[in-house]
Amino acid sequence: MSRYYCPFCSSRYQFHKTSSDGVLICGLCGDPLVKKPLLNSRRIIGAVAASAFLAPLLIMIIFIIKDFSKEKLPNNSDSLVLLTFDKSWLI
């Protein structure tokens, strides 16, 4: 994606030329090209909106991973036998 654009021509058909004095000009109309800003208000608002929707999902995934790592099997043998017996009948 080019950092320069012609404000008068369609973005589909733009191609850039360099004039004899080193200025970038539009290949179609001959006007000087305008430099695009790196950060503009649309990008900032879009990033904030996307993070507002994605942040709860990421937090939920982190808590689920923590929950699985905390889960421990019981130490007494009676509950262990019941646990294996119940799981064997789920086939």
Side-chain angles (χ1 to χ4, degrees), residues 44-58:
I44 294 171
I45 292 171
V48 169
S51 65
F53 285 107
L54 291 176
L57 177 67
L58 294 174

Side-chain angles (χ1 to χ4, degrees), residues 11-27:
S11 62
R12 292 183 182 174
Y13 306 111
Q14 288 186 12
F15 59 96
H16 308 143
K17 289 184 178 179
T18 306
S19 66
S20 60
D21 56 352
V23 177
L24 288 173
I25 58 172
C26 177

